[in-house]
Amino acid sequence: MTEEIEFILDSTKESMTGSIAHLEKEFLNIRAGKASPAMLGSVFVDYYGSATPLSQVSKISVPDARTITLQPFEKNMLHVIEKAIMIANIGFNPMNNGDVIIISVPALTEERRRELAKQAKAESEDAKVGIRNARKDANTDIKKLEKEGTSEDLCKNAEDEVQNLTNSFIKKIDELLVHKEAEIMKV
């Protein structure tokens, strides 16, 4: 195989791996009923005028499956953190006891579980679109090489390899979705 084809295959694989990594990150934001520090990953606090991730202004811990506690590094940040969690609109009602912020993670209803499963399915579909776009880009690049004089057999083999990559990454996405749906629906 030529260097150009190797490069196309490598960049395609890298792009597809990026789609999987993004999907896994999105799945972390879909809570499955158990408390997790990742649930607060989208919360940013106004820390002296700049938007700062919550994890950089407080210690986040999970003492049990239904509770998240936040211990601010600076006591005057308690109300700011509490306000940021409310503004983030992630469905939590923080309680401030003067030293720490306590968040009780409510149990999921059957309806909410179905909603979250739909959300997970939508995220996996987005990831599949990313995989297919990477395939389309790779095949376009391979066609260009063929027009520039690269052997037809080499190009055909490269297209087959791109399709094999696509199939394996789509299968991985399906496996991740099945696992996430099972996690969400487990009571």
Side-chain angles (χ1 to χ4, degrees):
M1 247 185 248
T2 66
E3 281 183 34
E4 292 96 348
I5 290 176
E6 285 293 330
F7 178 75
I8 291 169
L9 291 175
D10 287 345
S11 63
T12 302
K13 190 170 188 174
E14 188 176 317
S15 176
M16 290 179 176
T17 302
S19 290
I20 296 282
H22 179 75
L23 177 66
E24 289 171 336
K25 185 176 170 233
E26 289 301 315
F27 276 179
L28 283 177
N29 292 334
I30 299 174
R31 66 185 185 101
K34 281 191 303 205
S36 160
M39 294 175 169
L40 300 172
S42 62
V43 179
F44 284 82
V45 177
D46 180 23
Y47 186 68
Y48 299 109
S50 66
T52 308
L54 184 60
S55 60
Q56 292 182 13
V57 295
S58 67
K59 177 181 169 230
I60 303 172
S61 58
V62 183
D64 60 58
R66 295 263 178 247
T67 311
I68 300 173
T69 60
L70 303 159
Q71 174 78 48
F73 298 137
E74 298 176 30
K75 200 161 187 120
N76 64 338
M77 293 299 294
L78 272 171
H79 294 293
V80 178
I81 291 171
E82 198 172 9
K83 186 177 173 189
I85 293 169
M86 296 294 265
I87 291 171
N89 197 20
I90 50 178
F92 293 140
N93 191 12
M95 294 177 293
N96 175 350
N97 73 3
D99 291 325
V100 295
I101 294 173
I102 301 166
I103 299 172
S104 293
V105 179
L108 294 174
T109 62
E110 184 67 26
E111 181 181 336
R112 182 70 178 135
R113 286 180 194 280
R114 286 201 182 98
E115 249 175 62
L116 290 174
K118 276 185 191 172
Q119 186 181 345
K121 190 167 183 67
E123 290 295 342
S124 71
E125 286 304 317
D126 289 347
K128 286 179 182 179
V129 167
I131 300 289
R132 291 183 192 115
N133 285 339
R135 175 185 62 191
K136 186 180 109 212
D137 293 344
N139 285 338
T140 302
D141 292 344
I142 291 168
K143 293 272 189 235
K144 279 183 196 168
L145 286 177
E146 192 173 345
K147 284 180 183 169
E148 292 169 4
T150 305
S151 153
E152 195 177 315
D153 287 342
L154 277 177
C155 291
K156 180 69 179 129
N157 288 342
E159 286 176 357
D160 290 345
E161 183 63 32
V162 168
Q163 187 58 48
N164 289 339
L165 277 173
T166 303
N167 293 344
S168 68
F169 278 94
I170 295 280
K171 185 175 181 227
K172 173 113 171 104
I173 288 171
D174 289 338
E175 289 168 2
L176 288 170
L177 177 62
V178 166
H179 177 73
K180 187 63 179 182
E181 283 179 332
E183 182 184 322
I184 289 170
M185 297 311 282
K186 188 174 83 180
V187 179

